[in-house]
Amino acid sequence: MVKCVLLCLLVGLIGSQAQTPTLLRDTIWGEFPSVVRVKTPRENQFCLGTVINSNHVLTSAFCVLSYDRMRIFPARLVRAIGGDISVTPAAITRQTRTGQHIFVHEDYRPHTYEHNLAIIRLAEPFHLPSNAIEEAVIRMRIVPEQHPCDVVTWYRAPGTEGNPSQEMPRQQAFNVNIRNRDVCAAERRTEFTLEENSLCTYTTTTIGVVQGDPMFCDGELTSIQSYVFLPPVTGQPQPQNQPNLVSTQVRFYLHWIHLQLNRTQPMPGGWNPVEY
């Protein structure tokens, strides 16, 4: 057992040293055309979603729940904004849609972040094909360790207040590499396991990530960000400032996703993830 732990720590140390420096960058037109903004009644917060088809957007359960995570937002108060990569000026390709139904994974657990997924059905479909919006291609292959991927987020970079052209929130992306799942799990203080349907990545700097941010590997939608944790530094009481990002692999939920696409009944009245 001791040998196993030492080996895991050694692998983790080597992996950290081999990690390509994390660089936050602005995306360009056509780079992630399936990514849309999701605006909810949460004040001053945009989540991201991914277009599954013209009528449905995939995001995290966290994004469509109230602050106490006890209530799903009314669908009519949720908007999906696609075909644009900045808040303003609005591009002529921008399409804004209101939600019709919201389906949260029935087994979502707020305290463990399990099954942290939701589908938004739109009241009006996106116009496809479009030069600025596309359906996501879902990755079905296993992603090997150290494989480079990109996480898309919605971020205002610090230190840009002096440059008006850079102040507006916009779509950005940063690079990550896939970590060994067991090594990542060993760095968690609360639990020692990560389920097979989870992926762990490592960044070399602190990045503002929101649950629901999609990760693409080789241009294919691979996972949806679920939570972040800071691993402890050996021999020090405080955690290090390079976070582990844990995301939910979409390929494990294809059956559930397809059920929501054809679903005719809304979520049960009064549903919340704590009681069900």
Side-chain angles (χ1 to χ4, degrees):
M1 178 65 181
V2 175
K3 290 183 178 179
C4 178
V5 172
L6 290 175
L7 179 60
C8 288
L9 291 175
L10 179 60
V11 172
L13 179 60
I14 294 173
S16 298
Q17 293 175 340
Q19 168 77 36
T20 304
T22 304
L23 298 175
L24 186 67
R25 58 181 177 81
D26 289 353
T27 61
I28 60 176
W29 282 102
E31 189 174 7
F32 300 103
S34 63
V35 177
V36 300
R37 281 183 287 146
V38 176
K39 188 68 182 76
T40 72
R42 285 180 185 269
E43 187 176 1
N44 298 324
Q45 178 182 305
F46 282 99
C47 286
L48 292 186
T50 313
V51 175
I52 299 300
N53 62 25
S54 60
N55 290 287
H56 296 89
V57 169
L58 176 67
T59 187
S60 68
F62 166 85
C63 287
V64 295
L65 291 171
S66 57
Y67 284 106
D68 58 7
R69 290 179 287 186
M70 298 284 284
R71 179 176 59 87
I72 301 175
F73 288 125
R76 69 181 184 279
L77 301 181
V78 175
R79 291 178 294 152
I81 305 164
D84 209 345
I85 57 176
S86 181
V87 168
T88 189
I92 60 173
T93 54
R94 178 183 294 184
Q95 299 183 41
T96 301
R97 299 291 183 267
T98 302
Q100 182 181 44
H101 293 294
I102 296 176
F103 306 118
V104 174
H105 197 289
E106 295 81 1
D107 295 324
Y108 169 60
R109 296 294 178 264
H111 60 294
T112 61
Y113 306 99
E114 294 175 273
H115 315 293
N116 191 2
L117 294 176
I119 289 284
I120 303 170
R121 178 174 295 166
L122 307 177
E124 178 187 354
F126 284 122
H127 296 307
L128 299 179
S130 164
N131 285 333
I133 303 177
E134 291 182 6
E135 297 177 0
V137 176
I138 296 174
R139 185 182 180 97
M140 300 302 297
R141 295 170 294 156
I142 296 173
V143 189
E145 290 179 30
Q146 297 302 319
H147 194 78
C149 300
D150 289 296
V151 176
V152 184
T153 189
W154 194 256
Y155 191 66
R156 177 183 290 183
T160 59
E161 291 77 5
N163 186 346
S165 66
Q166 297 296 313
E167 287 185 357
M168 204 53 65
R170 58 199 183 277
Q171 187 186 102
Q172 296 192 318
F174 59 92
N175 57 294
V176 294
N177 289 86
I178 303 298
R179 293 199 69 198
N180 178 282
R181 188 182 295 109
D182 294 332
V183 173
C184 185
E187 295 177 349
R188 293 188 69 190
R189 294 172 181 260
T190 55
E191 298 182 26
F192 196 68
T193 58
L194 287 180
E195 298 298 328
E196 185 183 4
N197 59 20
S198 297
L199 285 176
C200 183
T201 59
Y202 181 84
T203 64
T204 60
T205 185
T206 301
I207 299 288
V209 180
V210 176
Q211 296 178 42
D213 287 351
M215 183 172 75
F216 293 83
C217 301
D218 303 316
E220 299 172 321
L221 176 63
T222 303
S223 62
I224 303 295
Q225 295 302 312
S226 189
Y227 62 95
V228 176
F229 73 92
L230 296 173
V233 178
T234 304
Q236 299 183 23
Q238 298 298 323
Q240 61 186 20
N241 61 359
Q242 290 87 12
N244 283 310
L245 312 181
V246 180
S247 56
T248 303
Q249 292 193 70
V250 177
R251 66 189 181 94
F252 281 85
Y253 291 87
L254 286 182
H255 178 68
W256 178 82
I257 290 173
H258 288 310
L259 287 177
Q260 310 318 303
L261 303 187
N262 300 300
R263 185 169 176 170
T264 58
Q265 297 296 323
M267 297 288 290
W271 182 92
N272 73 70
V274 176
E275 294 183 0
Y276 282 82

